[in-house]
Amino acid sequence: MRTGLRITAALVLVAVLTATAGAVTVVSQALPAYDGEVRMGDLERRAEVVRDKWGVPHVYAESAHDLFFLQGFVTAQDRLFQLDFNRRVAYGRLAEVLGEPVLETDRYLRTIGLGRLARSLASALDPESRTATDAFAKGVNRFVTDHRDRLPLEFRILGYQPEPWTAADSIAVGKLQALDLDGNYTTELLRAAVVQRVGASALLVLEPASEALPTALRDGGWAAVAGRLGPIAVPAGVDGLRSYLGGTLEGPGSNCWAVARSRGGKPLLAGDPHLGVRNPATWYEIGLHGAGYDVAGFSLPGVPAVLIGHNDRVAWSFTAAFTDTQDLYVEQPDPLDPRRFLHRGVSERATVIRESIRVKGRPEPVVLDVIVTRHGPLLTPVLKGQNAPLALRWTALEPHAGLDGVLALARARDFASFRAALALIPGPTVTACYADVDGHIGWAHAGLIPIRPRGGDGRLP
């Protein structure tokens, strides 16, 4: 009896050790190689990646193509699954690999249309942005090609391989960051629900910082639409999106500061973008040196260049500005045609876009018809219990990619060129702190802000 127990225990131990060794092998195979020399026909000239003692990659290249190609390559080395996951979130394609539980999030993202916008903007990039995004995509794809049989463990667990990266994907993940920071239309829904249920005066109690009631309550705008609004709820997909992105901004934090002269005689600058804690982190640290760039700092994984950091002349950081960049419009359907809407008494045809959402475990895709009016996509299909046709107008859905501004930011030489670069970045809205080697410090607000008619404040639909 005891001999049998010993043999059984030994067999179990061997099985456990074998499984552990197999798991270690699978994981270790996916780890990137940081040493050695690789011949790449994709490069125009000789280039180099040097990792410092903290593992941060610094790319040295003579051409912009090689610089951003290698940025894409090393980002994929360290963050390939994050790149693909965030791309899937932006395009509303999570259900393809995660199944039914994320279908509502996909519906929400397909309705907003970040993927549609990114594909449209990618076809009209300026030459510099095109070079950067195409080279970055080639770098990501080269890494995937070279490591097709030893991809990160997440791909093996979920049973799929990443599709080729494109310039549109870089735009899409950038727009996803804007969505993470610019979610104030849900506050409009909350205010509308408060006014409907307990009256307008409650807003002054709940929002004591506001000196007056929303403009719509004073100019008759609310009275014109209130009767068409049903019980208002936040879209189901929003909560899912927040959980996949790692939560929302916590507390009132988000800050940056600069002092003009430290004990050493130079400015000091610090910033706390105050994004939710995520793993992997929101930011990817990198240095880019050559082809007119000499910058180090933090990139948004999937987007070429550096978004927060310093070059040899200037340093900068961003914080969330919490500016109201979203407005909800209560559309008036044409009683003769549900695909047309009245604007100032004139019937206008809306654009209808059919989205096909593949869901893991379902034999047929889920079909979603997205209706887009002159103001933006109708959110009604993803608002539970809401029948009023609510369209979302948002500055991030305007036709601006903003990559030219990000690239110009990395090359800024003084406050004037820094502000000029900020002016090219449409959003999300941020406050920017600045310091340079000449002892100047500064502050600026960046991002597109709606100009509302009749002095409206956009606090209610």
Side-chain angles (χ1 to χ4, degrees):
M1 178 70 73
R2 291 179 181 175
T3 302
L5 285 173
R6 287 196 194 99
I7 293 173
T8 302
L11 289 175
V12 170
L13 179 61
V14 169
V16 170
L17 291 174
T18 301
T20 302
V24 170
T25 300
V26 169
V27 173
S28 62
Q29 282 180 340
L31 295 177
Y34 290 156
D35 298 315
E37 186 169 315
V38 179
R39 293 186 178 275
M40 291 184 177
D42 316 83
L43 294 176
E44 297 175 345
R45 303 172 193 173
R46 185 177 178 84
E48 186 178 21
V49 177
V50 177
R51 289 188 181 259
D52 63 23
K53 64 180 181 180
W54 296 284
V56 175
H58 288 261
V59 179
Y60 295 86
E62 298 178 32
S63 71
H65 171 275
D66 293 354
L67 194 71
F68 296 117
F69 174 90
L70 287 175
Q71 183 183 8
F73 187 90
V74 297
T75 304
Q77 265 191 322
D78 296 337
R79 301 286 188 91
L80 182 60
F81 184 71
Q82 182 186 27
L83 292 180
D84 189 72
F85 185 84
N86 286 348
R87 171 173 61 176
R88 286 188 173 277
V89 174
Y91 284 107
R93 295 183 58 190
L94 282 176
E96 292 180 18
V97 295
L98 298 180
E100 202 81 29
V102 296
L103 178 57
E104 287 304 315
T105 300
D106 278 359
R107 288 182 191 268
Y108 174 67
L109 269 301
R110 295 290 184 102
T111 300
I112 296 291
L114 299 185
R116 295 191 300 270
L117 176 66
R119 286 187 287 266
S120 171
L121 293 176
S123 63
L125 287 174
D126 63 278
E128 185 181 36
S129 299
R130 170 60 64 186
T131 295
T133 52
D134 282 352
F136 185 95
K138 288 178 184 178
V140 173
N141 296 333
R142 174 61 190 263
F143 176 82
V144 173
T145 299
D146 291 351
H147 298 79
R148 183 70 67 180
D149 59 343
R150 48 189 196 281
L151 293 174
L153 185 61
E154 296 93 335
F155 292 105
R156 298 194 183 197
I157 292 173
L158 294 174
Y160 80 99
Q161 292 199 338
E163 297 172 1
W165 193 265
T166 68
D169 299 338
S170 292
I171 299 172
V173 297
K175 293 293 183 181
L176 181 63
Q177 187 62 53
L179 183 61
D180 189 23
L181 295 176
D182 288 351
N184 58 272
Y185 83 85
T186 55
T187 309
E188 285 189 37
L189 294 174
L190 179 60
R191 287 194 194 96
V194 167
V195 175
Q196 283 182 321
R197 295 174 187 179
V198 296
S201 59
L203 292 181
L204 295 178
V205 177
L206 296 172
E207 297 182 308
S210 300
E211 296 180 356
L213 291 172
T215 306
L217 289 169
R218 306 195 306 271
D219 68 6
W222 172 252
V225 301
R228 300 209 296 272
L229 291 167
I232 296 175
V234 174
V238 169
D239 290 334
L241 176 63
R242 287 171 178 166
S243 66
Y244 307 137
L245 291 179
T248 56
L249 304 181
E250 298 292 339
S254 200
N255 57 83
C256 66
W257 54 262
V259 294
R261 188 180 297 275
S262 67
R263 180 175 295 178
K266 295 295 183 181
L268 288 178
L269 180 142
D272 170 21
H274 211 81
L275 301 179
V277 176
R278 298 168 186 172
N279 189 12
T282 300
W283 303 106
Y284 179 70
E285 198 168 358
I286 192 168
L288 301 172
H289 313 279
Y293 296 89
D294 188 16
V295 61
F298 299 91
S299 67
L300 192 65
V303 181
V306 165
L307 196 57
I308 290 177
H310 68 89
N311 57 31
D312 62 324
R313 292 279 311 165
V314 308
W316 67 94
S317 183
F318 294 132
T319 79
F322 298 109
T323 311
D324 185 348
T325 60
Q326 297 177 332
D327 285 328
L328 291 175
Y329 286 77
V330 184
E331 301 286 9
Q332 186 175 355
D334 186 332
L336 301 179
D337 187 340
R339 298 294 172 89
R340 300 181 72 93
F341 295 85
L342 301 178
H343 178 70
R344 295 177 180 173
V346 178
S347 178
E348 298 178 342
R349 178 171 293 280
T351 301
V352 181
I353 302 167
R354 174 151 293 188
E355 294 280 358
S356 181
I357 306 173
R358 287 186 289 157
V359 183
K360 187 176 183 178
R362 283 198 186 193
E364 299 294 330
V366 173
V367 175
L368 173 69
D369 284 339
V370 179
I371 299 176
V372 183
T373 72
R374 65 163 41 238
H375 298 119
L378 286 186
L379 298 184
T380 308
V382 293
L383 290 174
K384 295 194 178 297
Q386 179 58 247
N387 296 319
L390 286 170
L392 173 66
R393 187 165 189 185
W394 176 29
T395 55
L397 296 181
E398 300 292 320
H400 303 282
L403 291 173
D404 50 349
V406 175
L407 295 168
L409 201 62
R411 298 192 307 269
R413 311 304 295 165
D414 51 30
F415 195 55
S417 55
F418 176 74
R419 282 174 55 88
L422 288 181
L424 299 174
I425 300 176
T429 55
V430 294
T431 56
C433 289
Y434 166 95
D436 65 32
V437 295
D438 295 323
H440 303 123
I441 61 174
W443 176 93
H445 188 290
L448 295 177
I449 300 174
I451 299 175
R452 298 180 174 93
R454 300 189 307 279
D457 55 25
R459 286 193 283 159
L460 282 172

